């Protein structure tokens, strides 16, 4: 089964009757593209490629399920037993073929065991892998989230961080299965808004829920020091309690700032009168 072939290869195959010209390539589905177009659309080609195998697997799974139900209803029927065994074999082969296809499009960044787990347990996540490749992520970057322990939504948060320019070190602060995808989004937002890794570590803690993380993040982004935020960055405070404490600290800061400005203006005024 071909993935895509060059024009020269295509012309050598008698099944293709379409005339081929130099520097042409064939996309999955029979559409001719230039080599430049192939490189520009590599992610889409990869997704078309893996989608075909996933469609075949879905068909095999449905056939296997049907054969299983029929055999269960008539377990003494030899023909139905043989049909179920064959359907099951086909399903296993289709799963392996899909896993091998996933390994191929990632150039081995994902191994067979991981690919099989993704195909079996996190099929929606395969789309996130294809999306990352299509958007220009490297195979090594994709490997950061190509993990069956992540949901597709968690994968999306990691992919978005990479696509928005976060470093691998920054991504590793939240690329952990124990963080829900909304928690991941809070950590990612803090990093993308310019918080340091030290500041982010203050709330990159699975003991906090997303609401608590948000209040800590907003405090840091709003100019509070780590010491000030540390007053309320404790799991025992609910999100709403944290909000009240944060607003109180921020208001105190603004009041002090305004007071200092008033004192400064008063001193300048007094100096002016003395002259």
């Amino acid at each position: 089964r071909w993935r895509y072939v060059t024009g020269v290869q295509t012309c050598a195959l008698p099944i293709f009757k379409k005339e081929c010209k130099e520097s042409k390539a064939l996309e999955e589905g029979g559409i001719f593209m230039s080599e430049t177009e192939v490189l520009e659309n590599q992610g889409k080609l990869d997704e078309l490629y893996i989608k075909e195998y996933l469609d075949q697997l879905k068909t095999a799974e449905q056939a296997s399920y049907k054969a299983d139900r029929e055999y269960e209803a008539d377990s003494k029927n030899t023909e139905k037993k043989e049909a179920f065994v064959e359907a099951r074999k086909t399903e296993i082969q289709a799963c392996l073929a899909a896993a091998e296809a996933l390994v191929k499009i990632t150039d081995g960044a994902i191994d067979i065991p991981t690919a099989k787990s993704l195909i079996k347990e996190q099929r929606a996540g395969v789309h996130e892998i294809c999306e990352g490749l299509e958007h220009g992520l490297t195979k090594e970057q994709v490997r950061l989230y190509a993990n069956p322990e992540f949901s597709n939504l968690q994968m999306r948060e990691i992919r978005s961080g990479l696509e928005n320019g976060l470093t691998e070190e920054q991504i590793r602060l939240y690329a952990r299965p124990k963080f829900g995808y909304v928690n991941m989004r809070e950590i990612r937002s803090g990093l993308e808004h310019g918080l340091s890794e030290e500041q982010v570590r203050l709330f990159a803690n699975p003991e906090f829920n997303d609401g608590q993380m948000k209040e800590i993040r907003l405090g840091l982004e709003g100019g509070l020091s780590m010491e000030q935020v540390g007053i309320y960055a404790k799991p025992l405070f609910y999100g709403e309690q944290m909000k009240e404490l944060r607003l109180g600290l921020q208001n105190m800061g603004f009041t002090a700032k305004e007071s200092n400005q008033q004192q400064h203006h008063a001193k300048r005024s007094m100096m002016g009168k003395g002259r």
Side-chain angles (χ1 to χ4, degrees):
R1 180 67 187 161
W2 49 269
R3 178 177 174 188
Y4 58 81
V5 293
T6 64
V8 175
Q9 291 170 314
T10 306
C11 293
L13 299 174
I15 60 171
F16 295 108
K17 297 181 180 179
K18 208 169 195 178
E19 182 182 352
C20 309
K21 293 185 179 180
E22 193 173 350
S23 298
K24 287 287 182 179
L26 186 67
E27 178 188 337
E28 189 85 25
I31 302 170
F32 283 93
M33 306 174 73
S34 69
E35 291 178 0
T36 301
E37 289 173 324
V38 168
L39 291 174
E40 291 176 347
N41 293 278
Q42 186 64 64
K44 292 180 181 177
L45 290 172
D46 288 336
E47 188 159 14
L48 284 169
Y49 176 63
I50 194 67
K51 184 177 183 299
E52 179 177 351
Y53 284 96
L54 292 177
D55 287 344
Q56 291 173 359
L57 174 57
K58 184 177 180 180
T59 300
E61 287 173 335
Q62 290 172 340
S64 178
Y65 177 76
K66 181 181 178 182
D68 181 29
R69 300 299 295 173
E70 291 177 351
Y71 174 51
E72 187 178 321
D74 189 5
S75 59
K76 294 183 180 180
N77 189 311
T78 305
E79 290 183 1
K80 289 183 178 180
K81 179 181 178 179
E82 291 175 352
F84 165 66
V85 171
E86 286 303 313
R88 181 65 179 141
K89 285 181 181 178
T90 301
E91 180 186 354
I92 293 171
Q93 290 170 351
C95 180
L96 179 59
E100 289 174 342
L102 187 56
V103 171
K104 186 173 183 179
I105 68 171
T106 59
D107 291 339
I110 300 173
D111 57 24
I112 283 289
T114 302
K116 287 175 73 174
S117 294
L118 284 165
I119 295 295
K120 290 178 180 178
E121 304 166 21
Q122 194 45 265
R123 206 162 295 179
V126 176
H127 174 72
E128 293 300 323
I129 293 170
C130 294
E131 282 284 295
L133 293 171
E134 184 176 342
H135 295 169
L137 297 185
T138 66
K139 317 294 183 182
E140 290 70 26
Q141 288 176 314
V142 168
R143 186 186 291 161
L144 287 173
Y145 65 90
N147 184 338
E149 292 185 25
F150 291 128
S151 71
N152 62 304
L153 295 175
Q154 288 174 308
M155 289 185 183
R156 186 172 302 169
E157 288 303 318
I158 300 170
R159 174 174 66 80
S160 296
L162 290 165
E163 291 175 3
N164 292 340
L166 296 183
T167 66
E168 290 189 15
E169 289 72 22
Q170 290 175 313
I171 293 293
R172 292 183 193 282
L173 288 174
Y174 70 89
R176 305 174 191 173
K178 58 187 175 184
F179 287 128
Y181 77 94
V182 183
N183 302 77
M184 285 186 171
R185 185 176 302 163
E186 285 300 324
I187 299 170
R188 175 171 68 82
S189 295
L191 292 165
E192 290 178 359
H193 294 169
L195 295 183
S196 69
E197 291 184 25
E198 183 182 10
Q199 288 175 310
V200 168
R201 286 193 182 93
L202 195 59
F203 61 95
N205 183 339
E207 291 186 23
F208 293 125
N209 61 38
D210 57 285
Q212 292 170 311
M213 285 186 176
K214 180 179 180 180
E215 292 307 320
I216 299 170
R217 175 177 64 80
L218 289 175
L220 292 166
E221 290 177 3
L224 295 180
S225 68
M226 290 184 64
E227 290 74 19
Q228 289 174 311
V229 172
I231 293 172
Y232 68 87
K234 296 178 174 63
L236 60 91
F237 290 124
Y238 295 118
E240 283 300 314
Q241 292 172 316
M242 285 189 174
K243 182 177 180 180
E244 292 300 319
L245 290 166
R246 173 176 66 81
L247 292 175
L249 288 166
Q250 288 178 325
N251 288 335
M252 284 174 60
F254 289 131
T255 301
K257 184 177 179 181
E258 290 169 359
S259 177
N260 289 335
Q261 288 176 341
Q262 289 173 356
Q263 289 178 23
H264 178 70
H265 289 311
K267 286 180 180 179
R268 292 188 62 180
S269 178
M270 291 294 290
M271 290 172 64
K273 288 179 180 179
R275 292 175 186 171

